[in-house]
Amino acid sequence: LKLIIFIILNSSVLRVAYSPEFDNIRNAFFSQSKALLLVEGETDKEYLELLRDESHGKNKLDFDGEIYAYGGWSTLTNTVMMKFLKEKYSKLIVTFDLDAYSKVKSSMTSLMLNENKDYFKIGIDKGGKRAIEGLLPDNVFNKVWTGNSELVLQTQSDNDKEAKSAKNQLKKLYLEEFKKTSKPGNEHFAEFYKLTNTLNKSFKTK
């Protein structure tokens, strides 16, 4: 049974077929901001919030809208919902992990979003680095792995739930270690600055 939800916003009506993806992003429909930067998860959001700090100087993320975590790539495949967000916001920027590109590419095309203007793939095209964590310096991984070897082994588990849980725990540990040890500048943020500079160019042209 399909549950049809009517959302009235800015004098327009959207009919959305209820799905788990709507749960992930419902609050974005009611934001008062004119600009929205979508990121996959809460850790992605925290990295980008760090980059908004003035201490990064010319490399800071120069974005005055809301950064919103949409809870996983499958949200982007709900094109009806995404079309409404595109109409609602004067600026809508979508980001996702590089390893999710094959899963969301058709949705980006359907939404008529352009790469490196409206949507951005985050990560480095190397094994284990096709996500925002791939932008971290190696010392963060070395420190976390050394202290959490059992958790690292669990990521290779044949039990999907166990492996996913371990990966999520490691993501949080990477973030904590980075926040604790990093300082603004290329030594720790070099790869992140490449991302912010690309994003900033898009913000200025939209």
Side-chain angles (χ1 to χ4, degrees):
L1 179 64
K2 282 189 176 180
L3 175 62
I4 303 300
I5 299 175
F6 289 93
I7 300 174
I8 301 176
L9 195 57
N10 294 335
S11 301
S12 62
V13 179
L14 173 68
R15 190 172 71 176
V16 178
Y18 181 78
S19 67
E21 289 79 24
F22 181 74
D23 281 341
N24 293 339
I25 206 167
R26 68 172 70 198
N27 290 336
F29 286 92
F30 304 104
S31 171
Q32 299 303 305
S33 176
K34 292 182 179 180
L36 186 68
L37 174 58
L38 292 176
V39 297
E40 274 209 42
E42 290 296 334
T43 53
D44 301 65
K45 180 179 177 178
E46 287 203 50
Y47 284 116
L48 291 184
E49 291 289 3
L50 286 175
L51 289 160
R52 291 173 112 170
D53 195 281
E54 295 290 342
S55 61
H56 295 290
K58 66 179 182 180
N59 293 307
K60 79 163 190 168
L61 185 67
D62 192 15
F63 181 66
D64 59 2
E66 181 179 355
I67 301 175
Y68 189 91
Y70 56 82
W73 62 265
S74 62
T75 299
L76 303 180
T77 64
N78 188 327
T79 53
V80 174
M81 181 176 65
M82 291 298 298
K83 281 177 183 175
F84 182 73
L85 288 179
K86 185 181 176 184
E87 291 173 4
K88 169 178 163 50
Y89 290 95
S90 58
K91 286 184 184 177
L92 176 66
I93 303 292
V94 181
T95 68
F96 48 83
D97 290 346
L98 181 57
D99 61 9
Y101 181 54
S102 62
K103 304 178 185 74
V104 303
K105 182 180 179 180
S106 62
S107 297
M108 297 298 101
T109 301
S110 174
L111 292 163
M112 292 186 290
L113 298 178
N114 299 306
E115 185 175 353
N116 294 329
K117 180 183 177 185
D118 307 306
Y119 74 84
F120 295 83
K121 299 175 286 189
I122 297 183
I124 299 172
D125 198 9
K126 294 180 181 179
K129 289 184 174 286
R130 297 183 179 96
I132 199 165
E133 287 77 20
L135 307 182
L136 293 167
D138 290 341
N139 65 292
V140 172
F141 295 108
N142 295 336
K143 183 67 180 294
V144 172
W145 292 342
T146 299
N148 299 274
S149 56
E150 186 174 337
L151 204 56
V152 173
L153 287 172
Q154 285 176 14
T155 65
Q156 307 303 315
S157 173
D158 56 4
N159 181 307
D160 290 343
K161 276 190 175 181
E162 187 175 71
K164 184 176 180 179
S165 175
K167 287 176 182 177
N168 288 335
Q169 289 180 67
L170 284 171
K171 281 189 173 190
K172 292 177 182 178
L173 291 172
Y174 298 145
L175 176 61
E176 289 171 9
E177 179 63 22
F178 187 62
K179 288 168 72 173
K180 185 168 58 177
T181 60
S182 66
K183 294 180 181 179
N186 285 319
E187 182 180 356
H188 299 110
F189 284 90
E191 294 298 333
F192 285 97
Y193 289 162
K194 292 177 185 178
L195 173 63
T196 56
N197 289 332
T198 304
L199 287 170
N200 286 342
K201 287 178 185 176
S202 176
F203 299 152
K204 290 175 183 177
T205 57
K206 284 184 73 70

